[in-house]
Amino acid sequence: MPTPESAKMHEVTGELREAVFEYARNRLSYSPPPLDHSQPESELQRLAGPTITEKGLGGVAALKVFELVLAPATISTDHPGYLSFIPSAPTEASKLFDLIVSASAIYGGSWLEGSGAVYAENEVLSWLARECGLPEAAGGVFVQGGTIGNLSALVAARHAYGARPGKRLAFVCSSESHSSLKTAARVMDVDIIAAKANHQGRLTGAAVAEALGSEDLDRVFAVVATAGTTNFGIVDEISSIAEVAKQHGKWLHVDGAYGLAAILDDSKRALFAGVEQADSVIVDPHKWLFAPFDACALIYRAPEIARAAHTQHGEYLDPLETGEWNPSDYAINLTRRPRGLPLWFSVATHGVAAYRKAVAANCEVAQAAAELIREREDLVLVRDPELSVVVFEKLGWSPADYAAWSDKLLKDQVAFVVPSSHAGRTNLRFAIVNPLTDVEMIRQILDSIPRN
Ligand SMILES: *Cc1c(COP(=O)(O)O)cnc(C)c1O
C-alpha cells in the first residue's frame, strides 16, 4: 500500500534520523557538557530567525538551528558546576531509556493500555514506599513535579476530610516550606496556617501545636512536613509533627521533593523518622534520584482515598474501569507519559546500593564544602548543611558584588551559582546532587571569591 500523502510527514529521511541519533549520542557522551548561558530574545531572534513557516525548514536545517543557536542558549542543568536551585544529574541509563519511552508512544494513564509500563512504575513506587516504611498497600503515581504532587496530595487530603459548611479550610506548613504549597492553597482556595520553623529552619511538633492552639481546629484538614527544605536542606522533625497531626486526626503530608532521596543514605535515615506515619509523601526523581525531567513520585498510604478524590468519570472512560491500577486515578492528570520508567530502568540496571552510595557521596561533598568555608575568615556558613545544600555569606559583599561575581563565573563557563537570600541577607548557595561535582570543583569556585 502506498503511503498516503498526509502520512509522509510521519517519517523522516534516513539522513535526518541519523543526524538526530548522532546529536543525542554526542550530548550523552559529553562529560561534562558545555555549561552555556541564556540569551536575550532579540539575540535569539537575530540568530535563529523565524522557524515556524508554512513550508517548513526541513529537518536538517531545523536541527542545525537547535544545535547551533537554541541549545547553547540553555544552561546545562547536568553540568557539575550547575549548583543553583536544584540541579539535575540523570544517569546515562535513565536518559537512554527516556529515548525509548518517547519512541514507544506508551499511554501511561491506564492499566488497560499500559500495564507493562505501569507495573514497572509501581514497582519503583513500592520500593520508595518501603524505604519510607509505609505499608505494603501504599502506592501512587509519577506526576510532572513536586508542585503537582503537593497539590494532588492535598486535594486527596481535603476530599477525605470533607466539607465544613461555612468554614474556610486550611492546612498547616512551615514558614520555610516550598512556594508550591502557597500555589496549592491558592488553587484550592484554602488558607495556609504558617507554623514557625526554629532557628535551625526546622519545623517541630511543638511549633505545629502552637500554630494550631489559636485556630479553629475544625477547619484544618492537613499538616505538611518538609523533608529537606529547598533553601537549606533542613529536614523537619517529622515524628513530633506526626504525633500532633495524629492526635488531632489530621492528614500528614510529607514534602520530600528534594530531600527525601537522602533516606537512602543510612547515615541520614534517622533524620526522616516519622515519615512512615505519613498519609502521603512526594519525592522528585528529577531532583536527587538521578532521573531526567520531569518526575515526582507521589505515594499515598491508602491509595483508595486518593482514587476517590481524583478519578475522572466520563462515558469515554468507562472501559478503563477494569478494577486494575490506573495511574491517572491518583493525581490531577489523565493522559500521562510513563515518566517513572527512566528511573525504573536505571535502578533496575544499577541496583539500589549504587543509589545509596551516590546520595551519600553528594552529602560528603557538601560537608567538605562546609569545611572549606569554615576555614576562610571572610566566609560565613549560614547553617551547618544537613543534606547536600551549603549556604554561606561573603563578609563585606553588597548584593551587587554577589551578582557581579556570579555573572563572571557563568561568563567564564566555570559554574552557575546565582545569589540567593535568607532573612533579607544575600548569600551563596550550593545545591549538590551531581556525582561529578567534586571537592576540587568546589575549591575552584571558592578560590574565585577574592579574599578580603
Ligand atoms: C522543588 C520543590 C518542590 C516543587 O517541585 P517541582 O518539581 O519543581 O514542581 C516542592 N517542594 C520542595 C521541598 C521542593 O524542593
Side-chain angles (χ1 to χ4, degrees), residues 2 35 115 117 133 140 166-167 222 225 245 249 257 384:
L35 184 56
S115 64
K167 285 189 182 165
D384 286 329

Side-chain angles (χ1 to χ4, degrees), residues 40-122:
E41 190 177 358
S42 57
E43 184 64 5
L44 290 175
Q45 221 155 38
R46 188 179 74 76
L47 295 171
T51 55
I52 302 304
T53 63
E54 274 299 324
K55 262 192 91 213
L57 306 182
V60 172
L63 183 60
K64 275 274 171 276
V65 172
F66 181 74
E67 181 174 357
L68 301 178
V69 180
L70 304 178
T74 65
I75 302 181
S76 300
T77 58
D78 55 342
H79 187 282
Y82 185 119
L83 300 172
S84 296
F85 311 110
I86 305 284
S88 152
T91 62
E92 187 169 7
S94 70
K95 288 194 279 191
L96 283 169
F97 206 77
D98 211 24
L99 300 178
I100 291 186
V101 172
S102 289
S104 305
I106 297 166
Y107 184 85
S110 73
W111 189 267
L112 176 69
E113 292 148 284
S115 64
V118 175
Y119 172 84
E121 285 191 301
N122 284 352

